[in-house]
């Protein structure tokens, strides 16, 4: 069973510590939502995990310390979807990008065996077959986000990092994407960490939550226990009500108003 | 050129992908063939008065040919044509690498100040009689100007690298290169100002770029460099495509972005520096050839590297043919011809780009 445990994890940009002393445990097959106000350090935390930013501390995935691995070994375990997908503007088709995602650091001329099969599987899994020969630059922002997820999943990561994966998606695609992610996470017993701004998606899909404010870990734990109206009010400085939907099958969080010490006082 | 919508429902994505690859391989082979044809024509129409049968005879059976024909074909034309080819290949590849690692479609050997540094180094030797070969007496005198030019070209690239310390953004690397370009251009002007009329003439002639400086020794050195660097570049084909597609985020795919940028920067400076040292400043090949190659085979570096080299070779060799046939009885400087023929391409390119930005 896969297991991820972070302790005393720091990420810095230049000399500045942007994210400090994060620590938690997650077991395979679970999804963690990272929540917090703009500028809290959520993206920086994710970049620290996947090696795009300098990080300190221990990150154990099963028995390996990710920090001790070479960049290439570590990359082979991680799939990452950035917050901004506009960089997907190169003149390669989606299928070519899926091949590239699996062979990016390859020395041989030929793609690794199985690459084409996995690329097709991924297109089918996400229902993106019609885009195989399309260039992402001509797709919509939401379509590009789906492609970006495909590019991360096709690498068969053990740790999947998604930075606001649903920010550009319509209602149906938000659910579709997170269903796919949840299903994939459970079935392959991997660990998914997703930055989400939509609290209701978090309550619905996340098993655990990590709340960040000003680069610090405010709280972490099981979603049901953590995501109370009071905790949200505290984190975002917004007054909220917790509402049960569908006879308590889902719990929703409804924002009422910004508290007087809200915006500008974080 | 590229399909932007999925064609032909029914055939699987893999089938289409495999077909695309086959097409690209065919295009690269066709380009290589074109380069060979241009190569043969260049030798046939070379300078000097030789009849076609004489040339062919000297090529096929050098031993039975007349000594003068043999000399013209093997000692004059062959090194020049080979040098034209190596020049095209090296400058085009240097341009492709710089465009990829600096994420800048207008990058080329000039961008890093490599060309003007080489010009300055050459002018030191031609104008002031100072050459680094003085420090290495083992080097033959025919290399004195070339050694200077190469040393300064490499120095410029290493200076950019040192100043950026591998951590700078691609924009600042580009700006540093442009700054160096102006520094070396000014220094070059200074030397031209100080030089005598004769020296000035030789500097100006050097700067125009000419294949007549090619010798077997120089061809062997640049050829050997190509044989070392081209495989190294090809080995990184996937990584270069990843770098071009994802920028710094290529690290997520396991690419060592910093090292790749540094190594390829040095390789492109070496390639451009070596041929510039031998033939002088040759414009536009490094800029135009990669764009033409990408138009033909796309962004996948597994194809665009080979295609760029082939397009560069064709461009340079055809330009070399033009230097000999445009004005009968005279051989024009190669750099002049490439710049004049490259210019229309460049304008088309810029116009395409403006359209591409989609107003
Ligand atoms: N490249 C950078 N250089 C310097 N500081 C940065 C850089 N990127 C982010 N920061 C700083 O780090 C802090 C955290 O930024 P980060 O992008 O991680 O926030 P975030 O929680 O993802 O916010 P958002 O919800 O808006 O995406 C901010 O104070 C920001 O100013
Ligand atoms: Mg963010």
């Amino acid at each position: 069973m896969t297991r991820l445990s972070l302790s005393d994890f720091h990420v810095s940009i230049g000399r500045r510590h942007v994210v400090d002393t994060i620590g938690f445990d997650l077991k395979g097959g679970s999804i963690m939502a990272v929540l917090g106000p703009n500028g809290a350090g959520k993206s920086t935390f994710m970049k620290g995990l996947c090696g795009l930013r300098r990080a300190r501390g221990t990150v154990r995935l099963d028995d390996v310390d990710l920090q001790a691995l070479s960049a290439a070994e570590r990359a082979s375990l991680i799939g990452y979807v950035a917050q901004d997908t506009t960089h997907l503007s190169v003149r390669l088709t989606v299928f070519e990008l899926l091949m590239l995602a699996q062979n990016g650091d390859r020395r041989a001329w030929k793609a690794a065996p199985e690459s084409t099969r996995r690329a097709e599987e991924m297109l089918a899994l996400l229902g993106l077959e019609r885009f195989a020969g399309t260039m992402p630059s001509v797709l919509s922002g939401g379509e590009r986000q789906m492609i970006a997820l495909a590019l991360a999943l096709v690498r068969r990561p053990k740790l999947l990092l998604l930075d606001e994966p649903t920010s550009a998606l319509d209602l149906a695609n938000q659910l579709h994407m997170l269903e796919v992610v949840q299903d994939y996470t459970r079935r392959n017993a991997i660990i998914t960490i997703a930055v989400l701004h939509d609290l209701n998606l978090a309550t619905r899909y996340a098993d655990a939550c990590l709340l960040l404010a000003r680069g610090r870990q405010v709280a972490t734990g099981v979603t049901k226990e953590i995501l109370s109206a009071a905790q949200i009010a505290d984190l975002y400085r917004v007054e909220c009500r917790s509402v049960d939907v569908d006879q308590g099958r889902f719990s929703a969080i409804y924002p009422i108003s910004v508290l007087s010490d809200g915006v500008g006082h974080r | 050129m590229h399909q932007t919508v999925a064609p032909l429902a029914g055939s699987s994505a893999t089938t289409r992908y495999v077909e695309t690859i086959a097409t690209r391989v065919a295009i690269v082979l066709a380009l290589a063939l074109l380069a060979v044809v241009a190569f043969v024509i260049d030798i046939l129409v070379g300078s000097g008065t030789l009849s076609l049968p004489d040339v062919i005879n000297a090529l096929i059976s050098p031993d039975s040919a007349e000594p003068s024909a043999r000399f013209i074909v093997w000692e004059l034309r062959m090194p020049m044509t080979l040098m034209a080819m190596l020049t095209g290949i090296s400058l085009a590849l240097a341009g492709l690498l710089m465009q990829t690692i600096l994420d800048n479609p207008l990058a080329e050997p000039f961008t890093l100040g490599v060309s003007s540094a080489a010009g300055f180094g050459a002018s030191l030797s031609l104008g002031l009689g100072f050459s680094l070969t003085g420090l290495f007496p083992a080097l033959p005198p025919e290399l004195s100007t070339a050694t200077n030019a190469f040393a300064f070209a490499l120095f410029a690239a290493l200076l950019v690298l040192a100043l950026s310390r591998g951590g700078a953004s691609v924009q600042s690397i580009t700006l540093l290169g442009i700054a160096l370009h102006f520094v070396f251009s000014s220094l070059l002007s200074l030397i031209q100002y100080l030089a005598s009329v004769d020296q000035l003439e030789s500097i100006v002639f050097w700067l125009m770029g000419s294949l007549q400086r090619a010798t077997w020794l120089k061809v062997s050195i640049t050829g050997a460099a190509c044989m070392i660097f081209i495989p190294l570049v090809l080995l990184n084909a996937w990584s270069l495509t990843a770098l071009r597609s994802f920028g710094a985020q290529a690290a997520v795919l396991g690419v060592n972005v910093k090292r790749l940028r540094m190594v390829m920067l040095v390789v492109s400076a070496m390639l451009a520096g070596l041929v510039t040292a031998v033939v002088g400043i040759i414009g536009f090949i490094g800029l135009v050839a990669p764009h033409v190659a990408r138009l033909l085979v796309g962004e996948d570096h597994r194809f665009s590297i080979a295609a760029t080299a082939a397009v560069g070779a064709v461009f340079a060799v055809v330009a070399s043919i033009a230097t000999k046939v445009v004005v009968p009885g005279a051989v024009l400087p190669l750099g002049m011809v490439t710049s004049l023929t490259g210019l229309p391409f460049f304008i088309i390119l810029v116009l395409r780009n403006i359209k591409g930005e989609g107003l």
Side-chain angles (χ1 to χ4, degrees):
Chain A
M1 188 62 140
T2 311
R3 188 165 195 87
L4 175 74
S5 88
L6 258 75
S7 59
D8 201 24
F9 187 71
H10 298 254
V11 190
S12 45
I13 300 180
R15 288 203 173 72
R16 192 177 143 215
H17 284 285
V18 175
V19 173
D20 269 328
T21 34
I22 309 289
F24 57 78
D25 280 283
L26 274 179
K27 64 179 195 317
S30 55
I31 299 180
M32 172 183 258
V34 181
L35 302 170
N38 291 132
K42 304 180 295 296
S43 297
T44 307
F45 169 64
M46 303 290 264
K47 286 180 185 164
L49 275 180
C50 69
L52 287 174
R53 291 257 181 241
R54 208 153 36 82
R56 279 190 303 115
T58 33
V59 184
R60 299 195 79 80
L61 189 62
D62 294 332
D63 289 327
V64 280
D65 183 359
L66 289 190
Q67 299 290 91
L69 290 183
S70 77
E73 287 170 326
R74 170 201 189 106
S76 69
L77 299 172
I78 296 178
Y80 170 70
V81 175
Q83 182 168 5
D84 182 10
T85 54
T86 48
H87 66 272
L88 276 184
S89 59
V90 74
R91 302 188 63 80
L92 289 176
T93 63
V94 167
F95 199 85
E96 285 176 296
L97 284 169
L98 284 166
M99 296 297 288
L100 181 60
Q102 301 173 75
N103 295 284
D105 60 347
R106 199 173 162 78
R107 296 291 180 192
W109 192 89
K110 264 181 120 63
E114 302 285 287
S115 301
T116 51
R117 194 179 53 73
R118 287 189 197 174
E120 294 231 32
E121 275 174 14
M122 200 42 63
L123 289 171
L125 182 71
L126 293 178
L128 296 171
E129 294 97 330
R130 65 191 182 287
F131 296 133
T134 313
M135 308 210 183
S137 51
V138 303
L139 295 180
S140 78
E143 288 162 345
R144 267 208 300 273
Q145 260 182 344
M146 298 296 280
I147 305 288
L149 176 66
L151 295 183
L153 284 184
V154 79
R155 299 171 42 73
R156 305 202 156 178
K158 282 191 157 176
L159 174 59
L160 179 63
L161 305 172
L162 310 171
D163 197 345
E164 298 192 30
T166 55
S167 61
L169 298 183
D170 67 30
L171 197 56
N173 270 333
Q174 289 178 15
L175 297 187
H176 173 53
M177 175 184 273
L178 289 176
E179 298 284 347
V180 169
V181 167
Q182 190 173 49
D183 195 47
Y184 191 93
T185 305
R186 301 257 194 276
R187 198 133 38 95
N188 300 287
I190 67 163
I191 287 161
T192 296
I193 302 181
V195 175
L196 295 173
H197 272 305
D198 188 326
L199 297 170
N200 294 323
L201 291 177
T203 53
R204 182 163 172 171
Y205 291 103
D207 306 295
C209 284
L210 169 66
L211 308 191
L212 288 182
R214 290 194 221 97
R216 296 259 147 68
Q217 174 170 329
V218 175
T220 180
V222 179
T223 306
K224 282 200 195 72
E225 293 160 16
I226 291 281
L227 277 194
S228 63
Q231 187 66 265
I232 299 299
D234 199 43
L235 184 64
Y236 293 98
R237 309 310 300 159
V238 170
E239 189 192 343
C240 293
R241 299 257 193 288
S242 194
V243 193
D244 276 347
V245 182
D246 220 10
Q247 278 108 44
R249 207 151 77 85
F250 306 111
S251 102
I253 291 170
Y254 192 83
I256 306 293
S257 64
V258 177
L259 292 171
S260 57
D261 64 345
V263 174
H265 290 263
R266 317 198 259 254
Chain B
M1 22 149 271
H2 299 285
Q3 65 278 38
T4 44
V5 282
L8 296 177
S11 69
S12 78
T14 301
T15 323
R16 261 179 282 135
Y17 178 74
V18 171
E19 282 165 9
T20 317
I21 286 186
T23 314
R24 288 175 182 168
V25 170
I27 293 175
V28 169
L29 290 178
L31 285 171
L33 191 67
L34 205 59
V36 172
V37 171
F39 182 91
V40 173
I41 296 177
D42 192 39
I43 289 184
L44 294 183
V45 303
S47 56
T49 48
L50 273 189
S51 71
L52 214 53
D54 283 346
V55 177
I56 294 169
N57 185 35
L59 274 178
I60 295 170
S61 53
D63 295 331
S64 72
E66 267 185 59
S68 68
R70 194 168 66 212
F71 180 79
I72 290 178
V73 169
W74 283 99
E75 295 305 317
L76 298 180
R77 292 187 184 182
M78 195 57 104
M80 278 174 69
T81 303
L82 283 173
M83 199 60 220
M85 201 141 210
L86 290 170
T87 303
I89 291 173
S90 303
L91 290 178
L93 275 182
L96 176 74
L97 290 177
M98 289 188 186
Q99 288 169 15
T100 296
I101 57 184
L102 299 180
D103 191 24
N104 178 348
L106 295 184
E108 62 144 349
F110 276 99
T111 318
L112 287 184
V114 168
S115 307
S116 43
F120 171 69
S123 71
L124 268 184
S125 140
L126 297 169
L128 301 182
F130 166 81
S131 170
L132 293 169
T133 41
L135 306 176
F136 306 99
L139 287 175
E142 73 168 281
L143 293 182
S144 63
T145 304
T147 306
N148 254 21
F150 177 66
F152 277 89
L154 202 59
F155 171 71
L158 293 179
L159 199 61
V160 170
L161 213 60
L163 288 173
S164 64
R165 280 205 232 95
S169 69
V170 290
Q171 283 92 341
S172 28
I173 296 181
T174 310
L175 287 177
L176 283 172
I178 291 173
L180 274 192
H181 169 68
F182 283 114
V183 170
F184 282 115
S185 302
S186 317
L187 290 175
L188 176 63
S189 307
L190 179 68
I191 292 182
Q192 287 177 315
Y193 183 77
L194 296 174
S196 71
V197 175
D198 282 351
Q199 291 167 335
L200 188 60
E201 191 186 321
S202 65
I203 294 176
V204 169
F205 187 64
W206 192 94
L207 290 177
M208 282 181 188
S210 162
L211 290 169
Q212 275 159 325
R213 287 185 278 268
T215 60
W216 275 110
L217 177 64
K218 293 174 183 172
V219 166
S220 320
I221 295 175
T222 39
C226 281
M227 292 218 226
I228 294 170
F229 291 133
I230 292 176
L232 179 65
V233 174
L234 281 173
L235 209 59
N236 285 287
W238 282 104
S239 303
L240 286 165
T241 313
L243 183 61
R244 181 160 176 92
S245 309
F246 303 111
Q249 278 187 21
V252 178
L253 302 184
V255 177
N256 188 335
V257 172
K258 222 178 195 176
R259 193 180 62 198
L260 183 65
R261 279 213 177 106
M262 258 168 37
V263 171
M264 290 302 139
L265 210 60
V266 172
V267 166
S268 59
M270 297 276 276
L271 285 172
L274 271 173
V275 296
T276 307
V278 175
V279 296
I281 292 180
I282 308 289
F284 276 108
I285 295 184
L287 179 64
V288 170
H291 285 277
V292 174
R294 280 190 296 253
L295 274 179
L296 294 172
V297 299
E299 297 275 7
D300 189 335
H301 281 66
R302 288 185 297 157
F303 311 100
S304 63
I305 292 168
T308 299
V311 169
V314 172
F315 191 168
V317 176
V318 169
S320 155
I321 298 171
T323 60
K324 290 178 280 194
V325 299
V326 170
V327 179
V331 180
L332 300 175
L334 180 70
M336 206 170 85
V337 173
T338 60
S339 294
L340 282 178
T341 47
L343 193 64
F345 272 114
F346 180 70
I347 291 172
I348 293 169
L349 210 92
V350 172
L351 292 179
R352 257 179 46 97
N353 250 344
I354 294 173
K355 262 204 322 223
E357 299 303 314
L359 286 170

